[in-house]
């Protein structure tokens, strides 16, 4: 039985939505959902994917091998919820169909070989799905010397339990047939055609690396920026280590109230000494220790019932930070509460109704949730000194003084060289992952469906793409690679002398963990030269390892 829900379960059901095999009950279509004291994992149906671990807001789910002594009774408790095999079959959620593993029809001389571009959740879940079949080869290409995309550079540092999904990714990367080509940029170092010459298919899982821009006067002035850049800054992404994040003023305003806004507000108001125990980047920790920020306002253009953040994240926010509402917004919450019927919306509104009053004196840096504020313009000439809003649907304007204004209105995909791009949606046009009009090209994750959902959402998304890719291979629609496998290695090494392979990544990983000194999960390198220096400290493979690696490929 791979995963168990423990006593700190909050029953919000986010794990139910993330689970790709519907093994967590009661689910929304069953009696007891939202009222049950806790949720239960069906030991027979769990596939150990770890998606629920990422989705759980309270870190209540753990693999059975990692339970403390006090948690051991929960193994039985979870199992006891489900009738024995000869009893009544537990009800099955209708949320998402369970996909069967793809069946590759093996062809001698041309085993299915796939290039995956990107190494975040969608990429790793796609690789995992492909490697369920013997003989398949997957080469994962990543621009940075470090893998795992937004799990490393997007998930907030105080959400270490979410980052535990990297253990699953490590296991996927250790499977026979898997190879990492890190610090290689497709479109610069290698072209799409280069990849197709060496693979049957190229699956892009490059995410949505840009952010949606807030189109109002003054955005771009010093003192303005985007929440997604700040996320990359505090997570030590090498491209954002030098981002100017000015925390010398009392107020920060964040426009948009999705989960990213909540993450940024939480990091800006949490005691830095608590963050010092996480893998937050050192430069961010120093800036937060010197911060003068006493209030972060999260401004939404619609009302409380339309809040974009999820209930689990709101629960997490209110249990760790001081979160307040002003009197006008409290009234809006009560009005929405009177009309709301959907349980998750009601859950959010009930929690909002219990928040403290913004008029009360603040005891520590706090977060104010504000509603019905449509951004109109940035105030200030040389730099931002605030932001002006119109009250949504009215003529009235409101001004908030602030030293930093961040837009947090969503991520956005960027075009991939040699592939079509839908500018309006910010995705590569595709049919279930097959790129329109480009044989051999596939997409998964945010570049396929847009920037929505949890880490676990990418499992089903990647599985759908892999099914179509395997169908195409089985039907003979994919061209066999023209080059032998060893030729790819030679080509990449000739174009990218600083290539980082799996051993190099393991060396970076070990060096970061060692720098953490046991006090932090890791102390991240935030510059590429430092990462490469650590990668080069990897001991050269022994003859035995080289022979074994050859056999595994
Ligand atoms: P999001 O959830 O799409 O929220 C975007 C916010 O921006 C909404 O409040 C939206 O308001 C607002 N907005 C959009 N255009 C605007 C405009 N022109 N002016 C003012 N406001 C505007 O985006 P996100 O926070 O970047 O999150 C992206 C995805 O990642 C989500 O699926 C999220 O759940 C996920 N994520 C999850 C976690 C987690 O589970 N811990 C953490 C981070 C991110 P309207 O609703 O009015 O359009």
């Amino acid at each position: 039985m791979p995963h168990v829900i423990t006593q700190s379960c909050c029953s919000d059901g986010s794990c139910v939505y993330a689970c790709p095999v519907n093994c967590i009950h009661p689910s929304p279509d069953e009696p007891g959902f939202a009222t049950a004291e806790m949720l239960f994992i069906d030991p027979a149906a769990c596939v150990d994917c770890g998606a629920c671990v990422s989705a759980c807001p309270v870190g209540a789910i753990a693999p059975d091998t990692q339970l403390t002594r006090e948690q051991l009774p929960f193994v039985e408790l979870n199992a006891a919820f489900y009738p024995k095999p000869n009893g009544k079959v537990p009800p099955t959620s209708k949320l998402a169909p369970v996909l069967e593993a793809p069946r590759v029809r093996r062809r001698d001389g041309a085993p299915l070989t796939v290039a995956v571009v990107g190494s975040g959740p969608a990429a790793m879940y796609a690789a995992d799905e492909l490697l369920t079949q013997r003989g398949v080869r997957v080469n994962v290409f990543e621009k940075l010397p470090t893998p795992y995309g937004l799990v490393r550079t997007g998930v907030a540092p105080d959400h270490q339990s979410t980052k535990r999904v990297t253990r699953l990714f490590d296991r996927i990367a250790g499977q026979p047939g898997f190879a990492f080509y890190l610090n290689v940029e497709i479109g610069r170092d290698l072209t799409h055609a280069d990849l197709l010459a060496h693979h049957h298919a190229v699956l892009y899982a490059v995410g949505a690396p840009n952010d949606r821009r807030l189109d109002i006067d003054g955005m771009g002035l010093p003192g303005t920026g985007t929440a997604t850049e700040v996320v990359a800054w505090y997570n030590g992404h090498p491209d954002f280590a030098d981002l100017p994040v000015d925390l010398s003023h009392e107020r920060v305003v964040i426009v948009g109230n999705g989960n990213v806004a909540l993450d940024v507000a939480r990091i800006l108001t949490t005691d830095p000494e608590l963050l010092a125990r996480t893998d937050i980047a050192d430069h961010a920790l120093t800036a937060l220790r010197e911060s003068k920020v006493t209030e972060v306002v999260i401004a939404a253009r619609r009302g409380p019932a339309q809040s974009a953040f999820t209930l689990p994240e709101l629960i997490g926010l209110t249990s760790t930070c001081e979160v307040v509402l002003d009197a006008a917004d409290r009234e809006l919450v009560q009005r929405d509460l009177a009309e709301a019927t959907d349980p998750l919306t009601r859950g959010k509104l009930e929690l909002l109704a219990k928040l403290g009053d913004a008029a009360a004196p603040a005891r520590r840096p706090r977060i104010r949730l504000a509603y019905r504020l449509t951004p109109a313009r940035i105030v200030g000439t040389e730099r931002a000194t605030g932001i002006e809003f119109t009250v949504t649907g009215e003529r009235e304007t409101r001004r908030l003084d602030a030293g930093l204004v961040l837009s947090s209105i969503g991520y956005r995909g960027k075009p991939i060289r040699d592939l079509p791009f839908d500018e309006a949606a910010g995705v590569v046009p595709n049919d279930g992952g097959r790129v329109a009009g480009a044989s051999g090209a596939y997409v998964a994750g945010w570049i396929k469906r847009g920037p929505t959902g949890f880490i676990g959402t990418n499992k089903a998304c990647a599985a759908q793409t892999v099914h179509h890719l395997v169908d195409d291979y089985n039907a003979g629609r994919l061209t066999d690679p023209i080059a032998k496998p060893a030729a790819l290695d030679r080509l990449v090494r000739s174009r990218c002398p600083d290539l980082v392979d799996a051993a190099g990544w393991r060396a970076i990983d070990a060096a970061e963990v060692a720098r953490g000194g046991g006090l932090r999960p890791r102390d991240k390198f935030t510059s590429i030269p430092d990462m490469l220096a650590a990668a080069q400290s990897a001991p050269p493979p022994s003859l035995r390892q080289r022979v074994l690696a050859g056999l595994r490929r």
Side-chain angles (χ1 to χ4, degrees):
M1 175 181 173
H3 283 85
V4 184
I5 300 186
T6 63
Q7 192 166 18
S8 55
C9 171
C10 69
S11 290
D12 72 89
S14 57
C15 56
V16 177
Y17 290 103
C19 174
V21 293
N22 307 330
C23 72
I24 307 178
H25 299 272
S27 55
D29 53 337
E30 294 164 3
F33 182 71
T35 54
E37 265 176 51
M38 64 177 289
L39 299 169
F40 304 89
I41 295 181
D42 179 352
C46 176
V47 293
D48 195 18
C49 73
C52 56
V53 178
S54 329
C56 175
V58 292
I61 307 180
D64 65 345
T65 48
Q66 288 172 19
L67 297 181
T68 61
R69 204 143 60 90
E70 297 74 44
Q71 289 172 326
L72 283 176
F74 288 94
V75 175
E76 265 309 298
L77 205 58
N78 273 258
F81 181 76
Y82 296 92
K84 298 277 177 274
N86 57 355
K88 207 169 102 261
V89 178
T92 303
S93 164
K94 301 182 194 78
L95 288 177
V98 180
L99 286 160
E100 281 176 20
R103 293 212 171 73
V104 176
R105 271 183 237 126
R106 296 184 70 181
R107 288 208 300 270
D108 285 345
L112 175 59
T113 307
V114 180
V116 174
V117 183
S119 63
M124 297 308 292
Y125 282 126
D128 193 27
E129 196 69 31
L130 284 161
L131 293 170
T132 55
Q133 305 290 301
R134 273 172 65 86
V136 174
R137 291 181 179 155
V138 178
N139 297 316
V140 170
F141 294 83
E142 162 64 50
K143 193 171 103 167
L144 289 176
T146 53
Y148 307 152
L150 279 185
V151 178
R152 180 178 166 102
T153 62
V155 171
D158 59 340
H159 279 178
Q160 286 299 315
S161 59
T162 305
K163 290 184 191 255
R164 280 202 301 243
V165 73
T166 57
R167 294 183 199 164
L168 169 73
F169 297 164
D170 284 340
R171 287 207 298 277
I172 295 168
Q175 292 184 74
F178 183 103
F180 264 141
Y181 289 91
L182 307 173
N183 202 30
V184 179
E185 186 171 343
I186 305 306
R188 186 194 63 184
D189 302 322
L190 295 175
T191 63
H192 179 67
D194 289 332
L195 291 181
L196 268 186
H198 291 82
H199 302 86
H200 287 96
V202 185
L203 192 161
Y204 289 88
V206 291
N210 291 348
D211 43 74
R212 291 186 57 217
R213 293 275 155 185
L214 183 61
D215 194 15
I216 57 170
D217 277 355
M219 274 313 276
L221 278 176
T224 64
T226 70
T228 56
E229 289 166 348
V230 173
V231 168
W233 169 77
Y234 62 57
N235 270 317
H237 190 302
D239 294 350
F240 296 89
D242 298 324
L243 189 77
V245 180
D246 186 350
L247 304 177
S248 62
H249 303 259
E250 287 186 357
R251 186 183 287 133
V252 174
V253 174
I254 305 179
V255 175
N257 73 353
N259 284 339
V260 171
L262 264 52
D263 279 348
V264 171
R266 208 178 55 250
I267 296 299
L268 294 182
T269 54
T270 295
D271 179 354
E273 297 323 309
L274 294 176
L275 296 175
R277 295 179 214 150
T278 73
D279 64 352
I280 190 167
D282 286 343
H283 55 244
L285 190 59
T286 304
L288 290 165
R289 282 183 167 137
E290 291 164 3
S291 169
K292 299 279 183 293
V293 173
T294 56
E295 183 177 70
V296 177
V297 178
I298 300 179
R301 58 183 171 180
R302 295 194 283 163
Q306 290 80 35
S307 294
F309 51 71
T310 55
L311 177 57
E313 290 305 308
L314 181 64
I315 293 171
L317 186 79
T318 53
S319 63
T320 53
C321 299
E322 188 168 328
V323 189
V324 296
L325 285 176
D326 71 12
D329 287 326
R330 195 175 297 286
E331 269 180 40
L332 291 178
V333 170
Q334 290 303 338
R335 194 197 60 188
D336 285 357
L337 200 47
E339 290 169 7
T341 50
D342 156 59
L344 285 176
T345 307
R346 282 198 71 79
K348 284 189 210 175
L349 293 169
E350 281 161 8
L351 202 47
L352 291 176
K354 290 185 203 143
L355 293 181
D357 192 340
R363 286 166 295 163
R364 57 177 174 137
R366 68 186 189 179
I367 298 166
R368 178 153 70 87
L369 300 176
Y371 289 97
R372 292 188 60 219
L373 295 177
T374 298
R377 69 180 182 98
I378 299 295
V379 183
T381 45
E382 301 293 310
R383 74 173 320 286
T385 57
I387 174 167
E388 194 170 280
F389 296 95
T390 55
V391 176
T392 304
E394 296 174 23
R395 290 227 178 116
E396 191 190 333
T397 58
R398 293 232 181 109
R399 186 184 280 204
L400 282 173
D401 292 336
L404 183 61
V405 178
L406 300 172
S407 64
S408 183
I409 62 171
Y411 286 84
R412 184 179 155 79
K414 76 172 190 193
I416 296 172
R417 208 173 132 188
D418 301 324
L419 293 194
F421 191 66
D422 178 339
E423 277 295 339
V427 298
V428 170
N430 69 91
D431 182 6
R434 289 181 175 111
V435 176
S439 172
Y442 300 83
V443 282
W446 281 4
I447 194 64
K448 169 185 169 186
R449 63 173 205 276
T452 57
F454 303 101
I455 288 170
T457 317
N458 293 296
K459 187 172 167 68
C461 176
Q464 184 199 42
T465 300
V466 167
H467 275 250
H468 288 149
L469 188 159
V470 170
D471 278 350
D472 291 345
Y473 172 80
N474 286 342
R477 288 191 285 268
L478 299 179
T479 312
D480 288 345
I482 51 169
K484 295 228 165 74
L488 174 70
D489 227 59
R490 281 198 299 276
L491 174 73
V492 182
R493 285 178 194 279
S494 71
R495 302 252 184 103
C496 310
D498 288 328
L499 170 74
V500 175
D501 59 11
W505 158 237
R506 280 197 298 275
I508 296 173
D509 187 30
E512 288 188 340
V513 172
R515 276 157 51 105
L519 302 170
R520 317 171 58 178
R522 69 179 61 237
D523 182 356
K524 282 179 180 170
F525 296 113
T526 58
S527 87
I528 289 183
D530 288 349
M531 292 174 184
L532 296 182
Q536 276 150 19
S537 71
S542 64
L543 180 61
R544 183 169 174 275
Q545 282 170 326
R546 287 207 304 271
V547 171
L548 279 177
L551 289 176
R552 282 151 59 97
R553 302 280 296 137

